[in-house]
Amino acid sequence: MALTPADWHDRFTRQARWTHDLRRYLYERAGMRSARRILDVGCGTGVLAAEMPRYTQASIHGLDINPAHLSLASAHAPQTVLACGDAHHLPYARASFDLSLCHFLLLWVADPTGVVREMARVTRPGGAVLALAEPDYGGRIDYPEALEPLGSWQQASLRSQGADPLIGRKLAGIFAGAGLQAVETGVLGGQWSGPPSNTDWESEWAVITDDLNQMSAVAFEPAADVDLQKLKELDASAWSRGERVLYLPTFYAWARLPD
Ligand SMILES: C[S@@+](CC[C@H](N)C(=O)[O-])C[C@H]1O[C@@H](n2cnc3c(N)ncnc32)[C@H](O)[C@@H]1O
């Protein structure tokens, strides 16, 4: 069964939990506290916009191309000024914002350099552009080895959906290509404290299953003897033995515009 917008909201909420500490650090570095207008590009269901009032009194603007996501965003982040639009052509005047940011957006867009250039255009001189998190599935680590196919399937699935699974490693080059000199680029480390909750684990598997279902026959040619249910069981038993490792390198970059 296909995932609903509410399922995607759960997924986005989980992703935002992984990047929470990094986000706080980057908000501090980029001066979110003193910002007056902030733009969240590809704001999805409003997960980041909903928490921003904790860090700033700025007016928060969110843009997304998907009306179903925006309708959830208006419920989760009612203080946010929302717009439906394409990140490649932001419907805002030059220098309208103090900060513009995105989180798990650039892997999904056709021209990530063009999007970052647009974010820079709508940000004022002295303001900041932040790509808070972009994954790199090519660097994913799955252990035990029997679970490694999950990473390559997810890469193939993302490609078949038009996403770039290797966007993370390209992020510094994307900022440079957009004419921005990044103040800082890096990759989020991994810390684990026990297995995920059952709800999180089931919901992660719902995403894996949905990803695989979406793959075209051409893109997805699993070995005949591979059984998703079996992998799910292996995953559960690896967690219960305390030996499961799942690491997805997640890159970030931010730049300050010249005054
Ligand atoms: C993985 S979600 C991340 C949502 C949100 N940033 C978060 O972290 O919770 C990616 C979002 O980007 C949006 N998106 C994809 N392509 C877009 C485009 N060209 N312009 C604007 N939004 C886009 C999708 O609709 C989706 O809501």
Side-chain angles (χ1 to χ4, degrees):
M1 211 170 55
L3 298 180
T4 64
D7 294 329
W8 283 112
H9 177 70
D10 289 346
R11 164 76 170 168
F12 299 159
T13 303
R14 252 191 347 273
Q15 283 182 334
R17 247 188 269 141
W18 304 336
T19 61
H20 176 259
D21 292 350
L22 171 64
R23 202 159 62 243
R24 268 183 38 186
Y25 163 76
L26 293 173
Y27 288 169
E28 188 73 35
R29 293 269 286 138
M32 176 176 274
R33 198 177 298 277
S34 57
R36 283 179 304 172
R37 280 168 62 89
I38 296 173
L39 176 63
D40 179 358
V41 184
C43 65
T45 57
V47 176
L48 263 54
E51 70 165 19
M52 274 184 218
R54 262 190 254 157
Y55 305 112
T56 180
Q57 294 190 328
S59 86
I60 316 291
H61 296 247
L63 172 131
D64 203 281
I65 206 164
N66 184 327
H69 288 178
L70 283 170
S71 108
L72 284 179
S74 69
H76 293 297
Q79 80 293 351
T80 307
V81 182
L82 295 168
C84 193
D86 185 346
H88 296 90
H89 309 283
L90 293 174
Y92 308 103
R94 182 174 297 280
S96 311
F97 297 97
D98 302 295
L99 294 186
S100 57
L101 57 89
C102 62
H103 184 250
F104 291 101
L105 167 72
L106 298 176
L107 79 158
W108 291 106
V109 302
D111 176 11
T113 306
V115 167
V116 172
R117 205 178 288 122
E118 268 296 86
M119 290 169 70
R121 180 185 66 76
V122 302
T123 305
R124 68 164 170 81
V129 174
L130 297 91
L132 297 167
E134 295 297 336
D136 194 301
Y137 285 84
R140 175 173 160 148
I141 300 175
D142 278 288
Y143 186 81
E145 276 162 30
L147 293 166
E148 278 177 6
L150 290 174
S152 21
W153 292 352
Q154 211 167 17
Q155 268 200 63
S157 164
L158 286 166
R159 282 212 171 85
S160 78
Q161 295 171 61
D164 180 353
L166 306 184
I167 192 83
R169 68 189 65 183
K170 299 175 187 169
L171 198 52
I174 288 168
F175 267 56
L180 297 179
Q181 191 178 358
V183 174
E184 195 175 349
T185 59
V187 62
L188 183 61
Q191 294 84 32
W192 297 269
S193 51
S197 72
N198 200 48
T199 314
D200 283 357
W201 182 77
E202 283 293 357
S203 146
E204 202 52 44
W205 268 94
V207 172
I208 293 171
T209 310
D210 183 72
D211 272 353
L212 298 183
N213 286 341
Q214 292 209 27
M215 270 200 265
S216 69
V218 180
F220 183 38
E221 293 169 10
D225 57 350
V226 171
D227 173 346
L228 203 56
Q229 186 54 37
K230 181 129 182 283
L231 281 181
K232 191 172 174 184
E233 286 162 21
L234 278 174
D235 187 38
S237 68
W239 280 117
S240 70
R241 285 194 306 277
E243 66 178 23
R244 177 72 165 113
V245 176
L246 197 183
Y247 174 60
L248 178 62
T250 303
F251 287 71
Y252 64 90
W254 77 277
R256 186 163 300 290
L257 300 191
D259 276 316

